């Protein structure tokens, strides 16, 4: 994004007046009295997370005359958005003129098994054509049809060709476009920062506490408005499509601790096609093979050479919903028709070589680097934890969480996707809802009138957190955070994976308690700039997210979407409800909440029964 403010050990100030609000760093003056060294950063809006959702929020803020500060855990531009390869949905009608936003919304509700927030779905579907054209105006290099329109491909469970794309690197292109726009607006950005606690009394936030991952120096962010855009928690599983150091529950744990609610945490999407196999090496285990491979005609075969989706979904075949295809693969493996590595084969070699190289360049390049030519031979794949439909409970018009000054957006939240996400909707949500949230927060920002009493409380909370981090970094026990995180991943895959039951979930909770007990004897190898310390912080939030996941999965005694209980294999009408989680007397409180009704336009689209016919691709 734009300028990168940074502090030093002495007093330093970066002051920019924007709409009467200052965005600055106060140096070490607050630190002197306590003996702790840390920087104090004051900003009207703090955006935690620098992927597409955080960037789009920041752009709306800047366009409204409010200068936010965006912080990210990684280097500038290196956010998880870049891993979203296949495309972004919008009912443009480039190839199928009969498509419209209401059918997009209906497909989304059907894929979400009607646990979605209808308002969130409709906002996203209505907004997306304009958001795509906006990205186009900002320079996003969408693939084009022969007559110059933005090209669109089929994605699973979509009635029409609705997924806009840039080859198979759509997320990378989108994030680059958003960053370019943010740089034009000179939006301040700070990289390699990890937030460990929000400053909250349970009713209102006043900032956040964290540390600079490169220097280890403590950071106190003073802000009356904090936007969480820090992703989901799919990396809790030992086979997942994220990097190990992101998507491990930061946003959800921070929000819950601050007094917000979580929603539908039991719904974890297992993408059908993650890389698996000894020939790829451990580094690539679980990494995503984009749905675009199947969208361009890729076929799934078991180890016996059978095209097994003919049995499970003869009409939609490989492009049925992700949960359907993932369970089909799991069943093939369980019944002995999988590969030695516990996978199946995905083959697109029947398509023309040049077509595959044009539409799937990143896949071709990745597999070529591993000695596999996907234009000539199949890929070995298996389901992988990919996306979390559950997250922070928000109002989608505003991003508000119920805690004053705290907002959330993107994969950090729940609502758009219900029980299972429609492929291509994750990138859509980031820009559609991100724009709206940014506009609302901009209107909520008032001129700076800080209360010294509030600042005193901030310092006390921050310094308590800094001391806790100091103690953690000095831990010299027996168990490393890396080992405990690996064990947590195995625990969740075994007890809360694609197939679940009561006995397994209860055993998972027991094992989680045992694992948590061992954190009292943790060993951190290195200072606060080390990967070991980062993993130690990750471990804390991961344990919180994992417990919520296990408890809500145990509570939902039915099968719906990505949540499949072998002891309750059917959907139950009395479970047409969301599960809301909050902190209550030190534990978690779980309650049901009814789901809203879609608008008349969307109800009509649902009644029409639009559906993808895979055989259009044949």
């Amino acid at each position: 994004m734009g300028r990168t403010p940074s502090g030093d050990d002495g007093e330093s100030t970066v002051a920019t007046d924007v709409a009467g609000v200052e965005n600055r760093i106060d140096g070490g003056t607050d630190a002197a009295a306590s003996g702790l060294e840390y920087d104090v950063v004051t900003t009207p809006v703090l955006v935690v997370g620098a992927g597409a959702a955080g960037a789009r929020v920041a752009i709306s803020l800047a366009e409204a005359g409010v200068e936010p500060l965006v912080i990210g855990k990684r280097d500038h531009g290196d956010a998880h958005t870049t891993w979203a390869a296949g495309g972004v949905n919008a009912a443009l009608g480039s190839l199928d003129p009969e498509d419209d936003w209401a059918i997009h919304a209906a497909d989304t509700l059907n894929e979400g098994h009607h646990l979605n927030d209808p308002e969130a779905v409709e906002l996203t579907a209505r907004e997306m054509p304009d958001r795509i054209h906006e990205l186009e105006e900002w320079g996003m290099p969408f693939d084009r049809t022969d007559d110059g329109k933005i090209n669109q491909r089929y994605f699973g469970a979509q009635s029409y060709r609705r997924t806009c794309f840039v080859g198979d690197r759509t997320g990378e292109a989108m994030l680059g476009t958003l960053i370019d726009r943010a740089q034009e607006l000179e939006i301040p950005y700070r990289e390699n920062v990890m937030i460990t606690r929000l400053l909250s009394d349970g009713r209102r936030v006043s900032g956040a506490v964290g540390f600079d991952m490169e220097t280890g120096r403590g950071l106190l962010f003073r802000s009356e408005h904090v936007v969480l855009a820090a992703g989901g928690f799919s990396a809790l599983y030992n086979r997942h499509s994220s990097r190990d150091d992101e998507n491990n529950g930061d946003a959800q744990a921070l929000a819950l601790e601050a007094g917000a609610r979580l929603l539908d945490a039991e719904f974890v999407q297992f993408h059908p096609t993650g890389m698996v196999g000894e020939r790829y090496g451990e580094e690539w285990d679980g990494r995503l093979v984009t749905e675009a491979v199947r969208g361009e005609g890729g076929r799934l075969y078991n180890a016996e050479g059978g095209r097994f989706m003919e049995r499970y979904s003869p009409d939609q075949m490989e492009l049925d919903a992700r949960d359907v295809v993932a369970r089909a693969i799991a069943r093939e493996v369980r019944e002995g028709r999988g590969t030695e590595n516990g996978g199946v084969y995905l083959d697109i070699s029947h398509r023309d070589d040049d077509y595959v190289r044009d539409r799937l360049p990143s896949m071709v390049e990745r597999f070529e680097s591993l000695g596999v030519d996907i234009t000539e031979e199949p890929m070995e794949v298996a389901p992988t934890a990919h996306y979390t439909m559950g997250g922070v409970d928000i109002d989608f018009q505003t991003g508000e969480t119920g805690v004053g000054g705290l907002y959330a957006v993107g994969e950090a939240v729940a609502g758009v996707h219900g029980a299972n996400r429609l492929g291509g909707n994750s990138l859509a949500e980031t820009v559609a809802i991100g724009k709206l949230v940014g506009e609302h927060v901009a209107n909520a920002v008032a001129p700076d009138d800080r209360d010294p009493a509030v600042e005193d409380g901030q310092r006390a909370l921050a310094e308590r957190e800094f001391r806790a981090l100091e103690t953690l970094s000095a831990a010299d026990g027996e168990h490393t955070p890396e080992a405990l995180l690996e064990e947590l991943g195995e625990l969740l895959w075994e007890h809360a994976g694609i197939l679940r039951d009561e006995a397994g979930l209860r055993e998972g909770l027991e094992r989680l308690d045992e694992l948590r007990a061992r954190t009292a004897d943790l060993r951190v190898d290195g200072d606060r700039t080390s990967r070991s310390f980062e993993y130690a912080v990750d471990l804390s939030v991961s344990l919180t997210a994992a417990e919520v996941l296990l408890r809500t999965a145990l509570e939902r005694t039915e099968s719906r979407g990505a949540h499949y209980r072998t002891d309750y294999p059917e959907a139950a009408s009395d479970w047409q409800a969301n599960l809301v989680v909050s902190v209550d007397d030190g534990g978690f409180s779980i309650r049901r909440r009814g789901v809203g009704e879609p608008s008349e336009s969307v109800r009509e689209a649902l009644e029409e029964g639009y559906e993808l016919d895979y055989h259009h691709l044949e």
Side-chain angles (χ1 to χ4, degrees):
M1 295 173 191
R3 300 181 304 281
T4 306
S6 59
D8 55 38
D9 290 347
E11 199 166 306
S12 62
T13 300
V14 177
T16 307
D17 286 328
V18 181
V21 183
E22 289 184 338
N23 183 348
R24 66 173 182 273
I25 292 181
D26 312 314
T29 54
D30 282 345
S34 66
L36 292 169
E37 290 188 354
Y38 59 92
D39 291 328
V40 182
V41 182
T42 302
T43 180
V45 183
L46 180 67
V47 180
V48 182
R56 191 61 189 84
V57 168
I59 289 168
S60 281
L61 286 161
E63 289 178 337
V66 176
E67 184 178 76
L69 173 61
V70 180
I71 58 175
K73 286 172 65 175
R74 301 287 158 242
D75 291 342
H76 190 29
D78 186 19
H80 187 67
T81 303
T82 61
W83 291 46
V88 52
N89 294 336
L92 301 181
S94 296
L95 300 176
D96 299 313
E98 59 269 46
D99 194 16
D100 68 23
W101 75 266
I103 303 172
H104 181 187
D107 285 349
T108 301
L109 290 168
N110 282 329
E111 177 76 340
H113 295 256
H114 299 273
L115 286 190
N116 325 59
D117 178 334
E119 180 183 41
V121 171
E122 294 183 26
L123 282 170
T124 301
R126 281 181 182 272
E127 282 276 323
M128 276 316 297
D130 285 345
R131 300 287 70 73
I132 289 295
H133 290 307
E134 179 179 69
L135 288 164
E136 180 185 27
E137 291 171 6
W138 292 345
M140 187 163 170
F142 289 106
D143 280 37
R144 300 282 174 172
T145 63
D146 290 341
D147 58 359
K149 295 178 181 177
I150 293 175
N151 206 351
Q152 298 186 278
R153 60 171 43 128
Y154 281 116
F155 247 36
Q158 305 216 46
S159 300
Y160 295 107
R161 288 168 288 186
R162 182 182 298 133
T163 305
C164 312
F165 59 95
V166 180
D168 57 356
R169 58 178 192 89
T170 310
E172 178 184 344
M174 177 185 281
L175 185 60
T177 301
L178 292 170
I179 287 177
D180 287 347
R181 176 60 179 155
Q183 288 178 330
E184 288 176 5
L185 295 168
E186 298 188 319
I187 296 172
Y189 173 85
R190 185 160 181 166
E191 60 189 9
N192 298 308
V193 170
M194 194 168 189
I195 296 299
T196 61
R197 185 177 297 274
L198 300 180
L199 298 175
S200 171
D201 60 5
R203 297 182 301 276
R204 181 163 193 87
V205 297
S206 59
V209 180
F211 64 97
D212 186 309
M213 300 167 73
E214 292 186 319
T215 66
R217 189 175 178 86
L219 297 169
L220 164 57
F221 295 95
R222 287 184 171 139
S223 182
E224 294 299 311
H225 303 276
V226 177
V227 182
L228 288 174
F233 49 95
S234 60
L236 298 183
Y237 289 83
N238 65 344
R239 178 182 288 169
H240 59 84
S241 60
S242 301
R243 290 176 288 202
D244 290 340
D245 49 16
E246 57 192 20
N247 283 335
N248 36 35
D250 302 52
Q252 293 72 30
L254 288 168
L256 197 61
E257 185 181 56
R261 302 173 299 273
L262 301 187
L263 189 75
D264 292 344
E266 66 272 30
F267 293 111
V268 177
Q269 184 171 77
F270 296 90
H271 196 289
T273 56
M275 295 172 66
V276 67
E278 293 179 0
R279 68 188 300 186
Y280 304 141
E282 185 176 330
E283 176 187 356
W284 289 101
D285 187 38
R287 297 297 172 86
L288 190 65
V289 177
T290 174
E291 189 165 321
V293 176
R294 288 177 289 128
E296 301 294 352
R299 300 168 179 172
L300 289 166
Y301 296 92
N302 60 29
E304 298 172 357
R307 195 174 175 193
F308 56 88
M309 288 308 299
E310 293 173 344
R311 293 199 308 279
Y312 299 101
S313 181
D315 293 327
Q316 294 179 307
M317 297 290 286
E318 285 84 1
L319 286 180
D320 205 333
R322 288 177 173 181
D323 61 316
V324 174
V325 181
R327 282 196 295 274
I329 294 172
R331 182 172 178 179
E332 290 295 301
V333 173
R334 187 173 68 248
E335 295 182 359
R337 295 185 292 276
T339 66
E340 291 183 1
N341 297 303
V344 295
Y345 295 112
L346 174 61
D347 191 8
I348 197 166
S349 64
H350 58 283
R351 300 302 301 258
D352 179 78
D353 288 8
D354 290 339
Y355 181 89
V356 173
R357 293 182 183 280
D358 176 61
R359 292 299 183 92
L360 303 167
S362 297
M363 288 292 101
V364 170
E365 182 179 347
R366 178 195 298 178
F367 280 92
E368 280 184 343
S369 72
L370 298 169
V372 177
D373 181 356
I374 68 172
T375 69
E376 300 291 337
E377 58 184 309
M379 297 155 271
E380 193 173 355
V381 297
T384 183
H386 177 54
Y387 192 90
T388 44
M389 281 70 72
V392 185
D393 183 23
I394 67 166
D395 178 315
F396 275 85
Q397 290 278 5
T398 64
E400 293 177 355
T401 65
V403 177
L406 180 61
Y407 313 85
V409 69
E411 192 180 352
V413 311
V416 171
H417 311 296
N420 199 41
R421 178 173 67 85
L422 191 70
N425 268 357
S426 59
L427 290 179
E429 178 188 8
T430 64
V431 291
I433 305 301
K435 173 182 180 291
L436 298 177
V437 171
E439 290 172 347
H440 173 77
V441 176
N443 288 328
V445 171
D448 187 5
D449 56 351
R450 290 178 292 166
D451 182 346
V454 171
E455 294 186 4
D456 288 343
Q458 287 176 331
R459 280 195 295 271
L461 287 172
E463 290 176 8
R464 185 171 67 185
E465 180 70 2
F466 292 141
R467 289 192 176 94
L469 293 173
E470 205 170 63
T471 299
L472 178 63
S473 67
D476 61 353
E478 178 181 353
H479 305 290
T480 66
E482 296 93 329
L484 295 184
L485 282 167
E486 183 176 349
E487 185 174 336
L488 178 62
E490 294 169 355
L491 180 163
L492 289 176
W493 190 268
E494 181 178 349
H495 297 295
I498 297 174
L499 305 176
R500 305 166 175 180
D501 61 31
E502 180 176 355
L505 290 164
R506 291 194 182 281
E507 184 178 345
L509 283 165
E510 291 174 3
R511 287 182 58 189
L512 187 70
D513 285 342
E514 294 169 1
L515 193 155
R516 182 180 278 111
R518 296 209 302 280
T519 64
D521 193 25
L522 203 63
R523 184 180 81 247
V524 173
D525 298 321
D527 61 17
R528 282 189 287 186
T529 66
S530 69
R531 185 53 63 93
S532 179
F533 180 72
E534 178 185 343
Y535 282 140
V537 176
D538 286 341
L539 179 61
S540 175
V541 297
S542 296
L543 289 170
T544 298
E547 183 174 354
V548 174
L549 192 169
L550 284 162
R551 291 196 181 281
T552 51
L554 182 60
E555 183 79 10
R556 184 175 289 277
T557 51
E558 66 155 359
S559 291
R560 188 183 297 266
H563 172 71
Y564 191 84
R565 289 279 297 263
T566 58
D567 48 349
Y568 295 95
E570 303 297 328
S573 59
D574 61 336
W575 270 110
Q576 188 71 37
N578 303 116
L579 285 179
V580 183
V581 179
S582 55
V583 174
D584 184 16
D585 295 329
F588 296 122
S589 171
I590 303 175
R591 63 177 178 86
R592 296 191 198 190
R593 186 175 74 194
V595 180
E597 289 291 327
S599 68
E600 183 178 351
S601 297
V602 176
R603 288 200 302 273
E604 290 174 359
L606 288 165
E607 290 168 3
E608 286 292 330
Y610 297 96
E611 187 176 44
L612 165 74
D613 181 358
Y614 170 84
H615 300 286
H616 288 160
L617 290 173
E618 296 292 84

